[in-house]
Amino acid sequence: MKILSIQSAVAYGHVGNSAAVFPLQRIGVEVYPVYTVTFSNHTGYGSWRGPLISPDDVRDVILGIEERGAFKDIDVVLSGYQGGEGIGDVILDTVARVKSANPSAVYACDPVMGNAKSGCFVAPAIPILLRERVVPAADIITPNQFELGFLTGTDPADLESTLDSVDAARALGPSTVLVTSVERPERPEGTIEMLAVDDKGAWIVQTPHIPMKANGSGDVTAALFTAHYRQTGDAATALARTTSSVYDLLQNTYEAGSRELLLVESQETYAHPRLQFPVTQVR
């Protein structure tokens, strides 16, 4: 499998491509990483150094990959945080060109906008771009519960309303939706869930909640789910493998007291997920 991943990069720590690429490589996926920024560290520290990469330069890097004849072999285009409308245009153009070269290729979009605690933290134009242009072009999306509601204009809360919101998201275009960080009031205290839905049904998985802020964990989740789903075509299997790997990564990080993900130290959790959490079909 080959994935063209268009995301940010940092030298210190693990977010964007700096979080997604190694776990994908560890499960045997060839990755072509294209960077939209090259920062010293993620912006959660409050200060950082390094350049934003202009949309024209991003487009030029992708053109060079295309000139090598690689597009016909790309199975997935993966994108995460989009810092501006210009990058969105580059991604959409790339998706169209890859699919022209390989009609079986899919586009997986992590529609990063914010979360329930912080609210929306992207530029005001980005949610509109995602909702009106990017998500309709995607085959797979991986929003958290807050982003799902923002995309669809709904209020996902309990399981039924979250499933209804997923239906609204799928009506926009993507056939497969992974909802990360589902927090429904009827779940047992101290737990958190993920929900995956495709044409075959809907599945949910529950894990203990690890009380930490883990920058980059969503990028790892989106990358692993996309790869497992593309490989197996089975949402339940992809959900089980991804959940196990990400939980163990977070647990390792939490126990070490590290602010940054122990991405390399946890590599066996990607290659050999323990599958310790049962996946339940809910529709």
Side-chain angles (χ1 to χ4, degrees), residues 19 41 48 124 126 130 133 245 254 266 271 277:
N41 50 270
W48 63 93
I126 298 302
L130 289 169
R133 297 183 57 210
S245 296
Y254 178 69
S266 301
F277 303 108

Side-chain angles (χ1 to χ4, degrees), residues 6 14 25 42 45 65 73 82 87 99 137 181 188 194 214 250:
I6 308 170
H14 303 289
Q25 292 172 329
H42 69 70
Y45 285 96
I65 296 171
D73 298 318
Q82 298 184 22
I87 293 296
K99 287 191 171 187
S181 304
M194 287 203 294
L250 293 176

Side-chain angles (χ1 to χ4, degrees), residues 135 138-139 141 148 152 163-177 197-201 283:
V135 167
D139 301 286
I141 60 171
L148 176 65
T152 59
L163 287 167
D164 289 343
S165 296
V166 169
D167 289 340
R170 295 179 73 231
L172 294 173
S175 58
T176 304
V177 178
V197 183
D198 68 1
D199 290 339
K200 300 175 185 176
R283 190 170 66 186

Side-chain angles (χ1 to χ4, degrees), residues 172-255:
L172 294 173
S175 58
T176 304
V177 178
L178 173 71
V179 187
T180 63
S181 304
V182 175
E183 299 184 35
R184 54 186 178 124
E186 65 268 35
R187 76 189 190 282
E189 186 176 354
T191 65
I192 196 163
E193 295 168 314
M194 287 203 294
L195 174 73
V197 183
D198 68 1
D199 290 339
K200 300 175 185 176
W203 293 265
I204 199 165
V205 63
Q206 185 178 98
T207 72
H209 179 254
I210 300 174
M212 63 176 290
K213 183 177 181 180
N215 295 91
S217 60
D219 303 318
V220 176
T221 300
L224 287 176
F225 178 82
T226 295
H228 288 311
Y229 185 71
R230 178 63 170 163
Q231 181 183 52
T232 67
D234 188 291
T237 297
L239 182 61
R241 291 178 180 176
T242 301
T243 300
S244 179
S245 296
V246 173
Y247 179 84
D248 284 344
L249 165 64
L250 293 176
Q251 185 69 20
N252 291 345
T253 303
Y254 178 69
E255 289 177 352

Side-chain angles (χ1 to χ4, degrees), residues 29-92:
V29 176
E30 180 73 60
V31 187
Y32 304 136
V34 175
Y35 304 137
T36 56
V37 309
T38 304
F39 286 167
S40 55
N41 50 270
H42 69 70
T43 59
Y45 285 96
S47 65
W48 63 93
R49 295 182 182 273
L52 290 163
I53 300 176
S54 75
D56 286 342
D57 286 338
V58 175
R59 190 188 303 273
D60 210 34
V61 170
I62 294 170
L63 177 60
I65 296 171
E66 184 178 22
E67 288 171 344
R68 303 286 73 76
F71 276 16
K72 69 181 187 305
D73 298 318
I74 291 174
D75 300 289
V76 179
V77 178
L78 173 65
S79 71
Y81 171 75
Q82 298 184 22
E85 293 178 83
I87 293 296
D89 290 334
V90 172
I91 291 169
L92 288 171

